[in-house]
Amino acid sequence: MDKFEPVIVAFCCHYCAYTAADMAGTQRVQYPPSVKVIRVPCAGKVDAIHIMKALEKGADGVMVGGCLEGDCHFREGNTRAAKRVDYVRKLLDDIGFEGERVEMFTASAGMGERFGQIATEFTEKILLLGPNPVKTATSEAAQRAAS
Amino acid sequence: MMKTESILEKILAAGHLAVTSECGPPRGALPDKVREKAEMLRGSVDGINVTDNQTAMVRMSSLAACIIIRQMGLNPILQMVSRDRNRLAMQSDIIGAYSFGIDTMLCLSGDHPRFGDHPMAANVHDIDSVQMLDMVRTMRDEGRFQGGEKLDGPPKMFIGAAANPFADPFELRVARLAKKVNAGVDFIQTQCIYNLDKFELWMQGVRDRGLDEKVAIMAGITPMKSVGMARYMKNKVPGMDVPDEIIKRMAGVPKEKQAEEGIKICVESIQRLKEVKGVRGFHIMAIEWEQKVPEIMERAGLLPRPQV
Amino acid sequence: MITAERKPMEELIAYLRPFRRILLLGCNECVTVCAAGGRKEVGLLSSALQMRFAKEGKPIEIEEITLERQCDPEYVEELVSRIDQADAVMSMACGCGIQEVARRFQDKPVFPAVNTTFMGASERQGVWAERCQGCGNCVLGVTAGVCPIARCSKQLLNGPCGGSTKGKCEVDPDIDCAWQLIWDRLKALGMTEQYEENIPAKDWRTGRGGGPRKIVREDLA
């Protein structure tokens, strides 16, 4: 029985969320290694399909990080990202997956501690939700095929 | 030169103020309910409108209820909406109605099915109320169906329509009446009036265009039963204008006196409207309060009804 | 454009459950504009369906193809090389496109992924509203460019009715009263006398009332 090590993809905008993640590193703020940060120029660059593909390929959770409300370097990217996250959450509910596996967060560049906190809380939520149902089903199928 | 045998036409032609009221048919095959309501109005009015699936709720058909009322020796006014029937069914029902001695009718669009008990129904509107007026006039005066073919036994209908001086846009409301006059309307019943100033403004526009000479306008009146009813009509009913003074007056008396206050306001309105040039009569819509109509008529000095 | 909206997921899943290999078709025209069935939407639906069926332990293969249009047989013909690799087809095009695909591939089940709704225009990003019902005898020339058949809840040709309130329809405060719009335009154009020209009863034969319609251009056919 393997221990569940979640894979969480965090799309983080260059100007704020990614810098906050970086700050967490330099400040030696602990956060779980399950969170894999991907830098994007703006949270608004993240489209619904990117989130879906991450989950389709087995990610257990996806976070999208943008600037604080009103502070987006590109004006509205964070707002658009938030709407797309809502859309994907609803789509996941429609197919019987937990919409909570996807979440939007905002931070400013200096918020290293906050990033660590968000990453930790989200990882805990994903641990409770369990592995991505796609992964479970695939491995069960593989086990059946092997036996 | 009379167009029909309609009592309403005769009374108007004789220069009297005409009075009509209303009967809503029951939501079931309950003919006695029709008889009860109509009987309450005997002697108080010149004609009894029978609504047609009002508020888009299924009720006994206006035609059937009109027949019942006609057989009581009273004077029904057939209401027909364009929402539920295509032009074949309309003409068919009009011929049928006239065959039972129903000689007065109202052409209306009808409330949208959204408001009623069958919001999923198809919303017919094959023709609209203006086109319906033209159709009935053609049947009556030219003995032809809407499609052009000859019609034997033309229905001699006295044709009415509704007008709402209180709907938006106000600046259009006289022009819309002109459209109905062009289409052949003989008489108009207005939406119930609480804002007498606005109504008089509309009437001024009507007179300026000489429309009062071409169509008989009957002022619509509905007595308020309670301040709750007044507020409901002010806030929840589209195309209704209830001034704050009315609400204040109704709210200013204790609950058990509100019905009487409503009747008072009603009678006062009638007295004021009698003085408005071009008002040729009244249409009293006392919904589920038909028993008050004789009293209102008495207090407004409109009884006894003239015999023509 | 013709507008459409994706059908509820459960309905789509029920259609596809008996099949292993699906051809999921998008269309690059109307349904792309209203974000219902273009390349992007095909990608999203494909992803969602694959995840859902994987979760059920019955993985499904989906090939994604977005045609320029599905309502022209020439474009549908492009699918010939791929159709045998599919057990069933699901199309995100409007009803016209779906039927064309079904007509061409008589032995493949073809399922709609969307409910085709109306002919409309964009009011703003993400909002589309009904404008035309294809009555076949356009009255826009006498109604100052606003259609009372498509935009009046009672399709009155001599409106407004008595329920028009502050420029909105009594049925829904989000619906503009078409006759208010017509009147405003007539005023702006200085053509208010036009309003009193009664529009006669409509001949519905040019519309759906006469049966399914066809246009034949002798010079082209």
Side-chain angles (χ1 to χ4, degrees):
Chain A
M1 229 293 266
D2 296 320
K3 183 173 176 298
F4 171 36
E5 305 268 7
V7 171
I8 294 172
V9 176
F11 295 101
C12 292
C13 77
H14 165 81
Y15 285 90
C16 288
Y18 182 82
T19 310
D22 211 32
M23 191 70 74
T26 41
Q27 288 175 347
R28 305 271 183 262
V29 169
Q30 295 295 321
Y31 68 86
S34 33
V35 177
K36 327 269 181 220
V37 175
I38 296 181
R39 185 168 67 108
V40 289
C42 174
K45 182 75 180 132
V46 179
D47 207 343
I49 194 68
H50 303 132
I51 306 173
M52 288 300 286
K53 283 298 181 196
L55 292 164
E56 199 191 319
K57 293 184 196 294
D60 302 295
V62 176
M63 305 167 73
V64 178
C67 305
L68 295 176
E69 204 165 316
D71 288 349
C72 175
H73 186 84
F74 297 100
R75 293 218 298 133
E76 283 182 12
N78 52 0
T79 317
R80 295 194 190 170
K83 287 187 187 170
R84 288 169 197 163
V85 165
D86 282 341
Y87 179 85
V88 172
R89 286 164 68 103
K90 171 106 197 0
L91 184 57
L92 290 172
D93 285 338
D94 281 348
I95 55 170
F97 278 59
E98 303 95 337
E100 300 93 331
R101 290 184 184 274
V102 179
E103 208 170 82
M104 174 86 193
F105 74 91
T106 59
S108 75
M111 291 178 164
E113 277 237 29
R114 175 164 157 77
F115 180 85
Q117 190 188 352
I118 289 172
T120 308
E121 281 171 8
F122 192 68
T123 307
E124 274 162 22
K125 180 194 295 205
I126 297 298
L127 280 166
L128 282 173
L129 286 174
N132 183 332
V134 177
K135 264 190 342 204
T136 322
T138 321
S139 72
E140 279 171 7
Q143 277 174 6
R144 278 198 301 276
S147 62
Chain B
M1 178 51 198
M2 303 294 281
K3 299 176 190 170
T4 72
E5 302 287 316
S6 164
I7 302 282
L8 188 59
E9 184 180 13
K10 291 182 179 151
I11 294 206
L12 288 165
H16 304 293
L17 283 169
V19 178
T20 52
S21 190
E22 197 170 89
C23 236
R27 277 172 54 75
L30 304 163
D32 281 337
K33 285 224 181 296
V34 178
R35 295 187 185 104
E36 270 169 43
K37 277 192 188 170
E39 194 58 48
M40 286 187 225
L41 300 168
R42 190 187 289 273
S44 309
V45 299
D46 308 318
I48 303 173
N49 283 46
V50 182
T51 58
D52 185 10
N53 288 340
Q54 191 160 47
T55 59
M57 307 270 286
V58 176
R59 297 170 187 279
M60 180 192 294
S61 68
S62 178
L63 175 55
C66 281
I67 293 170
I68 294 174
I69 293 176
R70 194 85 191 94
Q71 291 173 341
M72 293 165 70
L74 295 169
N75 224 20
I77 298 174
L78 177 74
Q79 286 195 195
M80 186 171 283
V81 297
S82 59
R83 176 195 60 225
D84 304 332
R85 286 177 189 73
N86 70 6
R87 65 193 84 177
L88 271 82
M90 285 182 190
Q91 292 177 95
S92 172
D93 284 345
I94 291 168
I95 299 170
Y98 191 69
S99 304
F100 273 98
I102 296 157
D103 56 20
T104 315
M105 71 173 287
L106 219 71
C107 303
L108 307 159
S109 308
D111 301 311
H112 197 277
R114 272 275 199 120
F115 297 117
D117 61 350
H118 287 78
M120 69 292 280
N123 202 10
V124 179
H125 297 295
D126 176 20
I127 61 177
D128 63 26
S129 59
V130 172
Q131 294 156 351
M132 202 194 307
L133 290 167
D134 187 55
M135 176 178 82
V136 183
R137 177 187 46 186
T138 305
M139 293 171 83
R140 179 189 71 196
D141 296 342
E142 297 176 38
R144 273 190 308 110
F145 287 112
Q146 194 274 333
E149 308 249 340
K150 190 166 165 301
L151 151 62
D152 286 323
K156 300 274 182 212
M157 285 288 183
F158 192 53
I159 317 169
N164 190 354
F166 309 105
D168 293 321
F170 180 72
E171 53 183 352
L172 236 186
R173 290 293 155 184
V174 173
R176 185 120 203 280
L177 181 64
K179 283 172 76 88
K180 292 190 176 181
V181 169
N182 288 343
V185 72
D186 298 316
F187 72 96
I188 289 281
Q189 291 169 339
T190 74
Q191 174 69 291
C192 49
I193 302 164
Y194 299 103
N195 187 338
L196 278 77
D197 291 335
K198 196 162 193 187
F199 177 72
E200 287 183 16
L201 187 59
W202 182 72
M203 282 304 297
Q204 182 64 56
V206 168
R207 288 192 301 263
D208 287 346
R209 299 233 3 212
L211 296 171
D212 57 321
E213 318 265 312
K214 298 188 180 159
V215 63
I217 296 176
M218 299 177 66
I221 302 277
T222 297
M224 296 287 198
K225 274 186 190 172
S226 66
V227 70
M229 178 178 165
R231 286 203 183 101
Y232 180 80
M233 292 180 86
K234 184 183 178 70
N235 299 319
K236 296 288 167 73
V237 183
M240 188 77 70
D241 185 341
V242 182
D244 291 325
E245 301 89 73
I246 305 275
I247 311 281
K248 268 204 220 103
R249 252 184 93 168
M250 293 295 288
V253 298
K255 193 144 181 255
E256 61 282 3
K257 294 239 164 61
Q258 283 173 5
E260 169 57 30
E261 192 66 18
I263 304 273
K264 255 207 221 132
I265 294 172
C266 175
V267 172
E268 286 167 23
S269 301
I270 295 177
Q271 302 293 27
R272 180 169 158 190
L273 288 164
K274 276 186 192 175
E275 306 304 313
V276 177
K277 181 166 180 287
V279 170
R280 304 274 300 278
F282 299 95
H283 178 54
I284 317 290
M285 296 166 273
I287 306 158
E288 299 308 319
W289 216 17
E290 291 81 2
Q291 65 271 32
K292 283 295 182 184
V293 173
E295 181 188 332
I296 294 169
M297 292 291 95
E298 181 73 59
R299 287 165 66 167
L302 288 165
L303 292 183
R305 298 307 309 142
Q307 295 305 304
V308 287
Chain C
M1 82 232 60
I2 299 175
T3 61
E5 285 178 295
R6 204 200 68 220
K7 277 180 169 290
M9 199 57 85
E10 286 311 315
E11 192 180 335
L12 304 184
I13 291 163
Y15 285 139
L16 296 179
R17 196 168 267 123
F19 305 101
R20 313 272 46 243
R21 304 172 301 164
I22 308 296
L23 185 53
L24 185 61
L25 299 179
C27 172
N28 206 23
E29 300 238 355
C30 302
V31 290
T32 293
V33 178
C34 64
R39 184 167 286 109
K40 270 183 138 182
E41 290 76 33
V42 167
L44 271 171
L45 180 60
S46 173
S47 186
L49 289 170
Q50 288 188 63
M51 286 167 65
R52 167 57 181 260
F53 281 104
K55 179 181 172 196
E56 285 185 11
K58 302 184 57 200
I60 198 173
E61 278 172 41
I62 302 184
E63 178 165 6
E64 304 167 29
I65 299 183
T66 297
L67 299 173
E68 189 57 37
R69 278 196 291 288
Q70 287 183 32
C71 50
D72 275 320
E74 288 84 358
Y75 292 114
V76 173
E77 200 64 24
E78 291 172 15
L79 297 173
V80 157
S81 58
R82 307 303 309 154
I83 196 72
D84 291 330
Q85 277 78 258
D87 307 318
V89 179
M90 177 165 275
S91 169
M92 301 192 83
C94 75
C96 312
I98 301 170
Q99 291 187 66
E100 189 51 31
V101 172
R103 187 197 61 76
R104 176 64 184 83
F105 300 112
Q106 294 278 328
D107 60 348
K108 285 282 183 247
V110 176
F111 299 105
V114 301
N115 288 321
T116 304
T117 43
F118 53 77
M119 287 192 276
S122 302
E123 283 190 350
R124 58 180 194 279
Q125 170 86 350
V127 180
W128 303 280
E130 186 156 20
R131 290 286 183 265
C132 175
Q133 284 191 353
C135 73
N137 191 356
C138 190
V139 298
L140 289 174
V142 297
T143 58
V146 177
C147 180
I149 296 170
R151 302 190 67 179
C152 170
S153 298
K154 301 177 183 174
Q155 61 189 44
L156 303 176
L157 287 170
N158 295 285
C161 73
S164 177
T165 310
K166 298 194 180 28
K168 299 293 181 185
C169 177
E170 64 178 7
V171 164
D172 187 333
D174 279 334
I175 302 177
D176 291 328
C177 170
W179 279 96
Q180 176 78 61
L181 294 175
I182 293 171
W183 176 250
D184 291 340
R185 281 270 297 163
L186 287 170
K187 265 199 307 187
L189 294 166
M191 291 172 61
T192 47
E193 348 60 72
Q194 170 104 11
Y195 177 73
E196 288 186 29
E197 304 273 334
N198 286 348
I199 296 179
K202 196 156 178 69
D203 180 345
W204 295 104
R205 282 175 295 187
T206 54
R208 185 64 183 80
R213 298 169 277 177
K214 194 183 277 205
I215 297 174
V216 179
R217 281 280 298 277
E218 299 297 337
D219 57 324
L220 299 174

